[in-house]
Amino acid sequence: MEERDQWRSRAGFIFSTVGAAVGLGNFWRFPFMAYENGGGAFLLPYFVALLTAGVPLMILEFGYGHKMRTAAITAFGKISKRWEWIGWWQIMIPIVVVTYYSVIIGWALNYLIYSFTQAWGADPGAFFGGKFLGVSEGPWDFQGIRWHLLVAAAIVWWVNYYYSVRGISKGIEVACKWMTPMLAVLMVIFAIRGLTLPGAAYGLNVFLKPDFSKILNPQVWVAAYSQVFFSTTLAVGVMIAYASYLPRKSDLVNNAFITVFSNSSFDFLAGLAVFSVLGYIATTTGVPFEEIAVSGAGIAFVAFPKGISLLPMPFWGQVIFALMFFSALLVAGISSSLSMFESFASAIIDRTGTERKKLLRIFALIGFLFSSLYTTGAGVHILDIVDHFVGSYGIAVLGFLEAIVLGWIYGAEKVREYVNPLSDFPVGRWWDVLVKYVTPALLGYNILSNLIGEFRQPYGGYPMSAILVFGWGVALGMLAAAIYLSRRPGQAAAYGETKGD
Amino acid sequence: MEQGLLPSAAAMLAFGLILLYGGLTLFITIALRKEKQKAGRGE
């Protein structure tokens, strides 16, 4: 068995956890969540959610991972072997997500090259869906592989492999120590450039003008909690794995606050940058805001290229701005996908003792083969279905189970008593209440309201066969695989040392 | 379409900036101070 690696510095750990949390979703999910849920008024439930769910669960994962000194599978297995399947299920999420996430990062890589000539032309929407993605009629209409997408995805897989195979201190820490600060600098530059454009105030008014009547709507609170929860990379084995590599005497509580607040600060900054550019486009072209403001990948690959081409600066200035924007996407995506690799690698190595290099080589090859499915004409449809089911159900259910198992069965008090003497400042009994009652109640409500909506109308108007195969099939297949794998005999050493208590 | 920032939007902008960046600055300052104290104790 390999000797357990360790973070070299506190800054390296924080840059890596922030790098894991800040991803592509920060650019295109938060700004539209706010826009659709009360504008500036959304900040109130968002901030409450940050303090009552984001920070408490981050402390729980940091504390539990650090105490057990092992990644998700064996961390849950140490409570009792019967809970090991939760750890397996947690790492299934990044395994599935990274297969399409790497393809989206590959889109950013392609666009980085297109930036030199602004290859998207006068109609970036038609270019993106047509010439670039070649979007087919539906999820069963594959139309062959798009080679430029496949090559870009291969490069992304290779970069992930390159850093992950070097482990925590020589790979991920080294990468995130330059990637996360670089991302912060790029985001600040964007926000400043965006805010100084004519029409930026119009975009900011759309983004931030508060509609306080929406605060009384429970769905707005659900949206705020799900945004905080999904955005901070909780319940997918990443933070438990990362914390397990911290030296014995390490702060846990303050690191959790810094990670969650950094991620939310990126969210807010992205909102300012995105909406000021959208305001500029709306003002310049006279197109109504509602037609420009499309959530999801369209904001990065359609609206932003359009905005860049309209920037009041020489062509080379626009090129530099485009290069910075797609570099930011690339860096945000890779630092997140590295954490997905690590969630899987740490958990399997801890459980089976497999050699890291051998494990990651097999994982990268098989994962890349699955990625190729998303580089076909049907890729976007399949990606949309898989992402919806994994995101809406997988992560929420896992967060709910984690809060129940760690909060009630293992005991939130034990984690609190463990983290307090190590940390810059302690947490009180209020933290137990948040972990044991508030978080499970809110996530339970979130799951139920999503399920009810699902049965009322099939997601996205896709054929039921595609929903069953790529949606429910993937989601339930992950659960079945987790239960099966948890019943296989494990490496004795994995449970030999720091047994529960 | 061109207009200035509405007072209510400006208030929410200030609210977000103060809470998020103020909070982040506070926690980073605490961390730096504690690390300095640890270094002073030779830990």
Side-chain angles (χ1 to χ4, degrees):
Chain A
M1 193 176 172
E2 291 172 26
E3 196 176 321
R4 197 164 185 76
D5 203 351
Q6 206 163 267
W7 299 101
R8 283 181 184 169
S9 68
R10 183 174 181 178
F13 170 72
I14 292 172
F15 283 139
S16 302
T17 54
V18 174
V22 177
L24 302 173
N26 292 66
F27 287 86
W28 58 61
R29 197 165 189 267
F30 170 79
F32 291 92
M33 274 276 181
Y35 170 57
E36 289 164 1
N37 292 286
F42 181 73
L43 290 176
L44 289 174
Y46 177 76
F47 200 73
V48 172
L50 197 75
L51 293 174
T52 58
V55 172
L57 276 177
M58 192 65 78
I59 295 171
L60 182 70
E61 294 205 356
F62 280 0
Y64 190 67
H66 188 252
K67 185 174 185 186
M68 293 301 165
R69 304 195 73 69
T70 186
I73 300 172
T74 33
F76 279 96
K78 280 184 176 182
I79 299 172
S80 159
K81 190 78 170 65
R82 89 171 74 114
W83 300 115
E84 199 191 87
W85 63 276
I86 297 178
W88 278 105
W89 198 12
Q90 283 202 345
I91 69 153
M92 296 278 169
I93 303 273
I95 291 173
V96 171
V97 170
V98 79
T99 59
Y100 62 81
Y101 204 74
S102 55
V103 176
I104 303 177
I105 301 168
W107 298 352
L109 184 58
N110 271 295
Y111 268 68
L112 188 72
I113 297 160
Y114 296 161
S115 300
F116 289 102
T117 56
Q118 294 189 15
W120 47 80
D123 188 352
F127 175 82
F128 181 61
K131 195 176 173 189
F132 182 65
L133 292 179
V135 179
S136 67
E137 293 291 317
W140 296 116
D141 181 16
F142 293 102
Q143 293 191 357
I145 283 172
R146 313 277 298 171
W147 293 102
H148 56 286
L149 303 181
L150 190 75
V151 170
I155 295 170
V156 173
W157 275 97
W158 183 81
V159 172
N160 275 310
Y161 172 79
Y162 175 85
Y163 281 114
S164 294
V165 85
R166 282 159 177 73
I168 288 288
S169 59
K170 290 178 187 157
I172 293 172
E173 186 169 358
V174 169
C176 290
K177 263 178 138 172
W178 68 265
M179 284 185 182
T180 307
M182 178 184 162
L183 185 61
V185 171
L186 287 172
M187 288 300 295
V188 170
I189 294 172
F190 275 138
I192 291 171
R193 185 67 195 103
L195 292 169
T196 51
L197 286 169
Y202 171 63
L204 291 185
N205 287 337
V206 175
F207 175 41
L208 292 170
K209 188 184 163 193
D211 177 1
F212 287 108
S213 66
K214 292 233 175 160
I215 287 189
L216 300 173
N217 181 352
Q219 284 305 323
V220 171
W221 287 83
V222 169
Y225 274 87
S226 61
Q227 171 59 25
V228 166
F229 189 73
F230 296 134
S231 175
T232 35
T233 317
L234 289 162
V236 291
V238 168
M239 298 305 175
I240 290 180
Y242 274 13
S244 75
Y245 292 102
L246 275 169
R248 271 286 174 211
K249 284 187 178 177
S250 295
D251 169 274
L252 298 163
V253 174
N254 197 13
N255 284 351
F257 272 92
I258 293 172
T259 301
V260 174
F261 271 71
S262 297
N263 178 59
S264 295
S265 300
F266 270 101
D267 264 347
F268 195 63
L269 204 57
L272 297 180
V274 165
F275 272 77
S276 49
V277 171
L278 292 181
Y280 170 68
I281 298 171
T283 312
T284 315
T285 59
V287 176
F289 199 90
E290 300 72 38
E291 286 180 27
I292 306 166
V294 283
S295 63
I299 189 70
F301 298 103
V302 178
F304 249 81
K306 176 102 182 157
I308 288 164
S309 300
L310 291 170
L311 283 177
M313 53 171 66
F315 184 80
W316 60 266
Q318 294 176 350
V319 169
I320 291 174
F321 197 77
L323 286 173
M324 288 191 334
F325 177 70
F326 291 110
S327 302
L329 279 188
L330 206 57
V331 166
I334 287 180
S335 58
S336 293
S337 59
L338 277 175
S339 74
M340 296 176 200
F341 260 61
E342 195 52 44
S343 168
F344 162 80
S346 292
I348 300 292
I349 291 166
D350 287 346
R351 170 65 156 76
T352 65
T354 313
E355 190 209 351
R356 175 177 281 265
K357 194 172 182 179
K358 184 179 162 192
L359 176 74
L360 285 173
R361 198 181 295 152
I362 296 168
F363 175 60
L365 282 173
I366 296 174
F368 173 65
L369 285 179
F370 276 100
S371 280
S372 62
L373 184 67
Y374 301 103
T375 64
T376 64
V380 175
H381 303 299
I382 298 169
L383 189 160
D384 188 36
I385 298 170
V386 175
D387 185 57
H388 172 75
F389 279 84
V390 171
S392 294
Y393 301 107
I395 298 176
V397 173
L398 280 165
F400 176 81
L401 286 171
E402 181 176 282
I404 297 291
V405 172
L406 296 188
W408 288 90
I409 295 169
Y410 181 73
E413 321 70 46
K414 283 190 208 164
V415 179
R416 176 167 51 80
E417 284 161 12
Y418 177 77
V419 299
N420 277 349
L422 291 168
S423 299
D424 291 348
F425 53 86
V427 284
R429 287 178 193 278
W430 54 268
W431 180 79
D432 302 3
V433 176
L434 293 174
V435 168
K436 291 169 81 170
Y437 301 97
V438 177
T439 305
L442 286 160
L443 284 173
Y445 181 78
N446 190 334
I447 296 160
L448 280 179
S449 65
N450 279 342
L451 263 178
I452 292 165
E454 202 68 55
F455 286 112
R456 278 190 186 146
Q457 195 178 6
Y459 175 68
Y462 291 110
M464 189 47 82
S465 58
I467 296 281
L468 287 174
V469 173
F470 300 118
W472 290 114
V474 172
L476 297 176
M478 285 160 62
L479 174 61
I483 293 170
Y484 169 75
L485 289 165
S486 70
R487 290 174 181 223
R488 291 174 64 85
Q491 185 195 24
Y495 293 109
E497 293 173 6
T498 48
K499 176 82 184 162
D501 266 317
Chain B
M1 205 182 273
E2 181 60 45
Q3 56 183 285
L5 194 61
L6 296 171
S8 57
M12 296 319 292
L13 176 65
F15 174 77
L17 288 175
I18 291 167
L19 285 183
L20 290 173
Y21 295 93
L24 183 59
T25 307
L26 172 71
F27 299 124
I28 291 174
T29 307
I30 292 171
L32 290 173
R33 195 178 298 156
K34 292 283 179 182
E35 289 303 316
K36 205 173 168 186
Q37 283 173 4
K38 277 186 202 168
R41 289 197 301 264
E43 284 180 34

